[in-house]
């Protein structure tokens, strides 16, 4: 899939990127300018042009990838949302951000991006053979498919037992049957694992059905149980994107040959997910679908100032947090890696970085996000920005190479892991890392459980 970019192509990408940014600047200039610091506009323009160029360069090579997700996130959350919030003088969670803080935020985002590119370039220079490293074509027996389907059925039955058949698509029934306010971290983790198991059942059975259409019944059953247990309108956006987005990627091989994924992804986040939010706090039958759709479209122009696009603001707030408390020297990261340890056994276990940031600033409401660069800064300061950038750039490019440099006709269990990781990466970028890492691990463990096979060499020795 890799294509060498000629000088003409590179110049063309740059010109298109700059033209796009200029047109966007003209569009938002019709608004009220409450801020007029030229140096800040220059940093926004530099970052925006860089992210758009890198995104288009990556899209030239492949239709979707971890790097595409990263640059798309930066472009929409750190450039578009950040610039509009700066121009309007209105920031989520906090009304005002001074020019010095905004300028420093943009400079750190530039450093994080350069580090990310450097980390991915390291992988590009490595001599790898994905055909040998990635596990070979995945074959699954009917016996295992039966077991997986029964697990999915059991999770569905548990949901029915909890809320009844009539409450499967009722948000209020779920709330009444489950007291989330008193749920322990372990209980929430178990609920997440159940969701991951049922999602993985659908993904694994889908891969089996694509190899052998005779196994399609297993997929249809698992998909039906999944949709009834976790309807798109009743779960969080990260869950909708991860579960149904990964299914969509695995289902349609044509996405590997065109450039429609990025368009669908952007439309899903800007229109579909806000639309589904109308169903999250009430019953399906009580929602006026056409009115909800009209309100969703109408709110697009104001959403850039809302909490859903708070990544630029919350990253800037981590600067305030570090100024107040200093860097944590990796303590927050330690809490991420050992998220599974009960707080009863670890009384001073670190809380999520969003909540930590809110507490350090004296807020009473601390249920806020903390984007990946913010996690880096809270843990190790500027050194963390460089370290996290290189590390995630390295991992992103490594996974992209494993997926794209193998034969597209060969279906491996890594395909499932890649699809899940691709969608989870967006959630991880927005943060915080503690919750997103815990969710990702639950999917990885489910993937290992359903796809693990004993090597033939061990069987022969036995």
């Amino acid at each position: 899939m890799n294509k060498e970019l000629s000088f003409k192509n590179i110049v063309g990408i740059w010109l298109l990127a700059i033209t796009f940014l200029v047109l966007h600047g003209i569009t938002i200039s019709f608004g009220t300018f409450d801020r007029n610091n030229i140096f800040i506009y220059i940093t926004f323009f530099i970052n925006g042009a860089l992210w758009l160029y890198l995104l288009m360069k990556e899209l030239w090579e492949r239709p979707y990838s971890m790097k595409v997700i990263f640059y798309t996130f930066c472009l929409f959350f750190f450039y578009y949302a950040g610039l509009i919030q700066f121009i309007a003088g209105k920031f989520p969670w906090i009304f005002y951000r001074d020019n010095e803080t905004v300028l420093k935020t943009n400079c750190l985002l530039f450093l994080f991006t350069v580090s990310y590119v450097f980390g991915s370039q390291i992988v590009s220079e490595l001599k790898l053979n994905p055909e040998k490293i990635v596990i070979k074509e995945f074959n699954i027996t009917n016996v295992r498919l039966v077991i997986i389907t029964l697990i999915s059925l059991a999770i569905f039955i548990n949901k029915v037992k909890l809320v009844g058949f009539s409450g499967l698509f009722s948000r209020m029934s779920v709330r009444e049957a489950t007291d989330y306010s008193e749920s322990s971290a372990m209980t929430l983790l178990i609920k997440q694992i159940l969701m991951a198991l049922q999602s993985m059942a659908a993904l694994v059975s889908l891969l089996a059905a694509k190899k052998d259409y005779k196994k399609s019944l297993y997929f249809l059953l698992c998909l039906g149980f999944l949709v009834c247990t976790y309807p798109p309108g009743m779960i969080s956006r990260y869950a909708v994107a991860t579960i149904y987005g990964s299914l969509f990627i695995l289902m349609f091989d044509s996405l590997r040959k065109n450039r429609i994924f990025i368009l669908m992804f952007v439309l899903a986040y800007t229109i579909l997910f806000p639309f589904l939010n109308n169903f999250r706090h009430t019953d399906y039958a009580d929602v006026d679908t056409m009115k909800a759709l009209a309100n969703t479209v109408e709110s697009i122009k104001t959403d850039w100032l809302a909490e859903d696009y708070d990544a630029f603001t919350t990253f800037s707030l981590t600067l305030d947090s570090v100024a107040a408390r200093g860097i944590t020297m990796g303590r927050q990261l330690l809490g991420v890696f050992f998220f599974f340890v009960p707080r009863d056994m670890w009384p001073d276990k670190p809380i999520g970085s969003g909540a930590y940031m809110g507490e350090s600033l004296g807020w009473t409401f601390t249920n806020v996000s903390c984007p990946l660069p913010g996690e880096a800064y809270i843990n190790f300061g500027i050194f963390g920005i460089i370290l996290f950038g290189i590390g995630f750039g390295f991992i992103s490019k490594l996974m992209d190479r494993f997926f794209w440099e193998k034969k597209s006709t060969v279906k491996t269990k890594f395909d499932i892991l890649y699809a899940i990781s691709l969608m989870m990466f967006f959630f991880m970028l927005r943060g915080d890392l503690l919750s997103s890492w815990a969710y990702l691990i639950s999917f990885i463990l489910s993937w290992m459980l359903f796809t693990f096979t004993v090597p033939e060499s061990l069987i022969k020795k036995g």
Side-chain angles (χ1 to χ4, degrees):
M1 291 295 297
N2 291 332
K3 299 179 180 179
E4 292 295 331
L5 289 178
S6 65
F7 176 76
K8 182 179 179 180
N9 288 330
I10 292 176
V11 172
I13 291 175
W14 267 110
L15 289 176
L16 187 57
I18 292 174
T19 301
F20 188 81
L21 291 175
V22 170
L23 290 175
H24 182 72
I26 293 174
T27 300
I28 63 177
S29 67
F30 291 105
T32 302
F33 277 74
D34 293 335
R35 312 287 285 273
N36 55 10
N37 188 297
I38 186 63
F39 295 106
I40 292 180
Y41 286 117
I42 290 175
T43 58
F44 269 117
F45 181 82
I46 291 174
N47 283 349
L50 176 63
W51 290 324
L52 187 56
Y53 165 74
L54 292 171
L55 173 61
M56 296 178 71
K57 181 177 181 293
E58 182 67 15
L59 285 173
W60 178 271
E61 297 180 354
R62 51 186 65 89
Y64 57 87
S65 66
M66 302 285 284
K67 293 172 69 176
V68 164
I69 294 295
F70 176 78
Y71 299 135
T72 301
F73 180 89
C74 290
L75 193 60
F76 277 85
F77 282 76
F78 292 142
Y79 173 69
Y80 290 156
L83 179 58
I84 290 174
Q85 290 163 15
F86 175 75
I87 289 174
K90 298 177 182 178
F91 296 86
W93 309 116
I94 186 169
F95 182 75
Y96 187 78
R97 296 272 74 195
D98 62 83
N99 289 345
E100 182 180 354
T101 300
V102 174
L103 187 63
K104 186 176 180 181
T105 300
N106 277 336
C107 291
L108 290 176
L109 287 173
F110 179 83
L111 179 61
F112 188 82
T113 303
V114 171
S115 301
Y116 182 88
V117 173
F118 179 76
S120 64
Q121 189 61 33
I122 294 176
V123 179
S124 298
E125 300 299 326
L126 296 177
K127 294 182 178 180
L128 300 174
N129 189 344
E131 295 285 349
K132 293 183 178 180
I133 298 176
V134 178
I135 298 175
K136 296 182 179 180
E137 191 162 9
F138 177 53
N139 295 305
I140 184 168
T141 63
N142 286 327
V143 173
R144 177 171 291 199
L145 277 175
V146 169
I147 295 174
I148 289 174
T149 305
L150 289 176
I151 292 175
S152 182
L153 173 61
I155 297 173
F156 168 69
I157 292 175
N158 179 69
K159 176 69 175 291
V160 173
K161 183 179 179 181
L162 185 68
V163 301
F165 280 104
S166 60
L168 286 175
F169 297 92
S170 170
R171 182 76 175 180
M172 298 304 295
S173 297
V174 174
R175 283 188 170 183
E176 292 172 1
T178 309
D179 187 0
Y180 289 100
S181 62
E182 296 181 2
S183 296
S184 65
M186 186 57 64
T187 301
L188 293 175
L189 181 60
I190 292 174
K191 292 174 182 176
Q192 174 58 33
I193 291 175
L194 291 177
M195 178 187 289
L197 285 171
Q198 197 166 44
S199 304
M200 200 58 60
L203 288 166
V204 172
S205 59
L206 170 60
L207 204 63
K210 294 195 69 173
K211 290 191 60 180
D212 183 359
Y213 73 93
K214 296 179 182 179
K215 297 177 180 179
S216 299
L217 178 60
Y218 297 109
F219 168 63
L220 293 176
L221 287 172
C222 289
L223 180 62
F225 296 147
L226 174 65
V227 173
C228 290
T229 309
Y230 301 105
M234 293 178 58
I235 55 180
S236 63
R237 278 178 294 186
Y238 103 85
V240 175
T242 302
I243 297 172
Y244 296 100
S246 55
L247 276 168
F248 192 80
I249 290 174
L250 286 181
M251 188 176 296
F252 298 101
D253 292 335
S254 58
L255 292 175
R256 296 172 61 100
K257 303 174 183 179
N258 53 45
R259 298 298 188 274
I260 197 174
F261 170 83
I262 185 62
L263 176 62
M264 297 180 68
F265 185 84
V266 171
L267 289 176
Y269 198 89
T270 56
I271 297 179
L272 177 61
F273 293 166
F275 172 71
L276 291 176
N277 271 344
N278 291 282
F279 300 91
R280 289 188 61 198
H281 304 291
T282 186
D283 292 349
Y284 276 79
D286 297 333
V287 177
D288 185 334
T289 303
M290 296 307 298
K291 183 178 180 181
L293 182 59
N295 291 337
T296 300
V297 175
E298 178 66 23
S299 64
I300 290 177
K301 60 185 179 182
T302 58
D303 280 347
W304 299 105
L305 301 175
E307 288 78 9
D308 288 342
Y309 290 92
D310 64 352
F312 183 88
T313 300
T314 50
F315 176 44
S316 73
L317 288 169
T318 62
L319 276 60
D320 298 349
S321 177
V322 169
R325 285 187 174 181
I327 60 177
T328 66
M329 295 301 294
R331 187 174 183 276
Q332 288 300 114
L333 195 59
L334 195 65
V336 170
F337 289 146
F338 295 98
F339 69 92
F340 53 86
V341 178
R343 194 165 294 277
D344 293 339
M345 297 177 58
W346 188 2
D348 60 343
K349 177 182 175 181
I351 57 178
S353 292
Y356 173 85
M357 175 194 69
E359 284 189 359
S360 66
L361 298 178
W363 294 3
T364 55
F365 179 80
T366 59
N367 185 22
V368 295
S369 65
C370 181
L372 195 57
E375 294 278 359
Y377 195 75
I378 282 180
N379 277 281
F380 303 110
I382 294 180
F383 176 72
I385 293 289
I386 299 173
L387 181 65
F388 273 54
I390 293 176
F392 278 90
F394 185 93
I395 295 172
S396 296
K397 183 64 176 181
L398 192 65
M399 294 195 69
D400 288 339
R401 285 195 64 179
F402 283 167
F403 180 76
W404 287 104
E405 293 184 16
K406 68 177 181 64
K407 294 179 180 179
S408 60
T409 55
V410 176
K411 302 301 179 184
T412 72
K413 60 185 180 182
F414 181 78
D415 294 356
I416 299 175
L417 180 62
Y418 184 76
I420 287 288
S421 301
L422 193 71
M423 306 310 297
M424 280 294 301
F425 189 37
F426 194 87
F427 174 48
M428 188 173 289
L429 284 167
R430 187 170 185 265
D432 58 25
L433 194 57
L434 177 62
S435 56
S436 60
W437 178 256
Y439 294 151
L440 177 60
I441 291 299
S442 68
F443 279 105
I444 292 177
L445 291 177
S446 301
W447 170 75
M448 293 174 64
L449 176 65
F450 285 167
T451 64
F452 176 78
T453 54
V454 179
E456 292 183 5
S457 57
L458 293 181
I459 297 176
K460 292 178 180 179
K461 289 181 180 179

